[in-house]
Amino acid sequence: MIEPLYVDLTHAVNIAEMKIVKTLLMRAAPRVMGMEPTDIQRGMSRTVRVTGLALDKADWKKAVMPGCEFKLTHVATDGASVVAEVSAPQNALPGKRQVSVPVPGGEALTFSLTVVLGSSGIDSKGMAAGTASGTIARAGQVDRFPISLRRGQPLGLLLEQDSGSQLDCQLSMAGPDGSVALQGNRALAFVAEVDGIHEIQVRDREYRVGTAGYRLHAGQFPVVQGVFPSHVEAGKPAKVRLLGVGLGDHAIAEWPEVPASSVGTRLILPSPWEGIPGASGPFVDPSPQVMDRQVIHVPPFGANGILETSVEANRWKIQATQGKKLVIEVKAARMGSPFDSSLA
């Protein structure tokens, strides 16, 4: 007779499971699951603890955080955490910074930390320059931040939405009389025309239903509001002047030759201007671009002008032929201009 055989495999299975888990952990790619804190105030240093899986496989001594210093102090032996000292210089630009950590034989490990200007309170004189957080949570909601400015005082504004936001928030800047002087999507360069309490406004572009968390940075930092000329000709050398605040006296960007393949796109601003809030280069056009309003121009061409006030007008001389149609259009609001342009 054959006797049934019973063998207790529980212990063996547990050992096998442990070996499998250990093998999987050894093979797992490094992954960041969280960090504390997530903010670094400019002009200061903070100890940041990063948590995750297999973090010991990354080369943290070679971690790079643009415009800031990321110095490793400790890596846990199980790879579950890393501690570093992070410093942001006094002139650091506000906003998110991607930290990149090399991984031997694999893709770099990346995560984000945010440089802030400091907490921003509101008193009877208005909002102090700094970083404020908020949430748009209902249709038609407009968050208002009063801020006291002197005539001629420059102010940089940067709006950052949280990931997963359902709305498309926009910034507006209103003067003491309540009229909106400037508006845009993410960054504004504002110079006060009068003394008084101005108002920063944050809302959804279409006043829609949804939720959007955001951070508003307001203070003394460079912002590129635009460039002049706004268009450059493909295949030719190009030089533009940067318009905005905090850019210095010689804010010029140059290209030895504009690539012919870039027609219809915007050029990326070269060093040292890349990464500045609002930084976008000129549009590339196949036609010659002109700026001299004293001579007669023969179409096709693009005329680049700039209006300093709402009552100013630019006049251009065009060589026209009787019976020949000309198509003339003006681009201003489409490029972020606060003026409602018209042709006459």
Side-chain angles (χ1 to χ4, degrees), residues 142-162:
V142 180
D143 286 359
R144 304 175 188 275
F145 299 87
I147 185 167
S148 179
L149 298 174
R150 301 182 306 276
R151 180 181 179 182
Q153 182 178 347
L155 181 70
L157 296 173
L158 175 64
L159 181 68
E160 294 185 303
Q161 286 191 218
D162 295 347

Side-chain angles (χ1 to χ4, degrees), residues 94-95 156-160 171 186-188 215-218 221 223 277-278:
L157 296 173
L158 175 64
L159 181 68
E160 294 185 303
L171 271 172
R186 295 290 180 266
L188 292 179
R215 277 193 172 178
L216 170 64
H217 307 278
F221 57 89
V223 174

Side-chain angles (χ1 to χ4, degrees), residues 93-252:
L93 294 172
K96 287 185 178 180
R97 295 283 191 285
Q98 180 173 277
V99 182
S100 179
V101 189
V103 177
E107 294 185 5
L109 181 67
T110 60
F111 60 96
S112 294
L113 295 172
T114 301
V115 175
V116 298
L117 304 178
S119 60
S120 178
I122 297 178
D123 57 24
S124 60
K125 295 182 180 180
M127 167 181 161
T131 297
S133 299
T135 301
I136 302 295
R138 65 180 186 275
Q141 178 180 338
V142 180
D143 286 359
R144 304 175 188 275
F145 299 87
I147 185 167
S148 179
L149 298 174
R150 301 182 306 276
R151 180 181 179 182
Q153 182 178 347
L155 181 70
L157 296 173
L158 175 64
L159 181 68
E160 294 185 303
Q161 286 191 218
D162 295 347
S163 59
S165 295
Q166 301 169 333
L167 304 177
D168 182 18
C169 291
Q170 91 167 12
L171 271 172
S172 297
M173 192 72 191
D177 62 354
S179 61
V180 174
L182 196 62
Q183 63 182 16
N185 289 344
R186 295 290 180 266
L188 292 179
F190 182 75
V191 178
E193 294 185 357
V194 296
D195 295 344
I197 304 296
H198 294 65
E199 187 176 75
I200 306 169
Q201 302 173 357
V202 180
R203 65 172 176 85
D204 175 59
R205 177 179 294 276
E206 304 295 336
Y207 297 98
R208 296 168 299 177
V209 177
T211 301
Y214 65 84
R215 277 193 172 178
L216 170 64
H217 307 278
Q220 302 301 308
F221 57 89
V223 174
V224 177
Q225 191 66 47
V227 296
F228 182 78
S230 61
H231 288 64
V232 294
E233 183 180 357
K236 301 288 186 179
K239 177 190 291 188
V240 300
R241 175 164 57 98
L242 277 59
L243 310 174
V245 297
L247 302 174
D249 298 328
H250 190 70
I252 300 294

Side-chain angles (χ1 to χ4, degrees), residues 328-344:
I328 303 175
E329 63 174 345
V330 60
K331 298 178 181 179
R334 282 178 285 177
M335 298 187 301
S337 170
F339 292 138
D340 184 13
S341 55
S342 64
L343 283 169

Side-chain angles (χ1 to χ4, degrees), residues 14-30:
N14 286 341
I15 292 176
E17 288 178 348
M18 290 175 62
K19 289 182 177 179
I20 292 173
V21 170
K22 186 175 181 180
T23 301
L24 289 174
L25 287 175
M26 291 178 63
R27 293 178 180 176

